[in-house]
Amino acid sequence: MSDRPDTKTEVRGADWYGDDLSGQEHTRVAFIGVDLSESTDDGAVFTECTFLDCKFNLSRHSDAAFLNCAFSSCSFFQAEFTSCKLVGSSFDRCSFDLMTVSGGDWSFVALPGADLSKATLTGARMREADLTGVRGSGATLQHLDLSGAELHEADLSGADLRGSDLSAVDPRSADLTGAQVDVTQAVVLVTALGMNVRPDAPE
């Protein structure tokens, strides 16, 4: 997990409910107890900021950037992230019920132990993300670039993984029971178990 950024200024207890944050830029700001519920955000940039006990419920973010930020005890209920960059950001004790991620770059993100079971993530780059122990049972995790991601002890049972890069998944250390995968992914997983996939033997 990334170290918490060294913030320089603080915003505490602000009510940004329903505000339009488009185009704003914040660097090394600590947001504490800020309500961003139902806020909209087109192209805002947050760099090395911290968010503690903040609400992002029903917020909508498009082409926004949260770079090397740290989120702790934040709520993302039904939040939407479209083509956003969260490179290097970390999440601790956050809730993600019905959160939707479409595209964007979430590489090097730290989500260890996160409960993503009710989240939908599609088409995002999550290279070398820390998903250790993530709880993704029943989640929709489609067309994700998970190359180099850490998925040790991840619970992906019943998850829809179709189209995602599973080259970093060790099926011996992650729970894939009932997960939906395509044929290409099945070959990758079988190969990871040390088996060789070959055409049918001649009779």
Side-chain angles (χ1 to χ4, degrees):
M1 179 180 294
S2 302
D3 293 334
R4 181 164 293 183
D6 181 17
T7 54
K8 303 299 183 183
T9 58
E10 179 180 295
V11 176
R12 182 182 292 269
D15 183 2
W16 290 2
Y17 184 98
D19 285 2
D20 184 358
L21 310 178
S22 299
Q24 293 190 18
E25 295 188 13
H26 301 274
T27 301
R28 293 191 174 182
V29 179
F31 297 92
I32 302 172
V34 177
D35 187 357
L36 297 115
S37 299
E38 298 194 32
S39 63
T40 55
D41 167 10
D42 185 359
V45 179
F46 297 83
T47 305
E48 296 184 357
C49 293
T50 62
F51 296 86
L52 175 63
D53 292 322
C54 293
K55 295 179 181 178
F56 291 85
N57 301 333
L58 294 159
S59 60
R60 298 189 306 278
H61 309 268
S62 178
D63 294 306
F66 295 84
L67 306 175
N68 296 309
C69 292
F71 299 85
S72 182
S73 301
C74 294
S75 173
F76 293 91
F77 173 74
Q78 249 180 319
E80 298 179 8
F81 293 88
T82 304
S83 301
C84 294
K85 290 184 178 181
L86 283 91
V87 176
S89 291
S90 62
F91 297 82
D92 180 39
R93 301 189 305 277
C94 296
S95 59
F96 306 97
D97 288 353
L98 303 181
M99 182 183 77
T100 301
V101 173
S102 301
D105 192 347
W106 291 56
S107 297
F108 306 102
V109 160
L111 283 159
D115 185 354
L116 301 178
S117 59
K118 296 180 181 179
T120 298
L121 286 75
T122 57
R125 177 179 293 180
M126 301 188 74
R127 292 181 179 178
E128 298 189 47
D130 182 1
L131 301 174
T132 305
V134 73
R135 290 171 286 165
S137 177
T140 297
L141 305 171
Q142 294 180 342
H143 301 287
L144 302 177
D145 182 354
L146 295 170
S147 55
E150 177 55 66
L151 288 149
H152 183 67
E153 296 186 348
D155 180 3
L156 301 174
S157 57
D160 188 345
L161 305 173
R162 289 174 295 175
S164 293
D165 181 345
L166 301 182
S167 58
V169 177
D170 183 348
R172 292 163 294 194
S173 67
D175 186 354
L176 296 167
T177 305
Q180 299 180 55
V181 298
D182 56 37
V183 174
T184 300
Q185 293 170 314
V187 173
V188 170
L189 294 172
V190 167
T191 302
L193 289 171
M195 292 182 279
N196 295 318
V197 180
R198 298 181 178 178
D200 292 340
E203 295 182 0

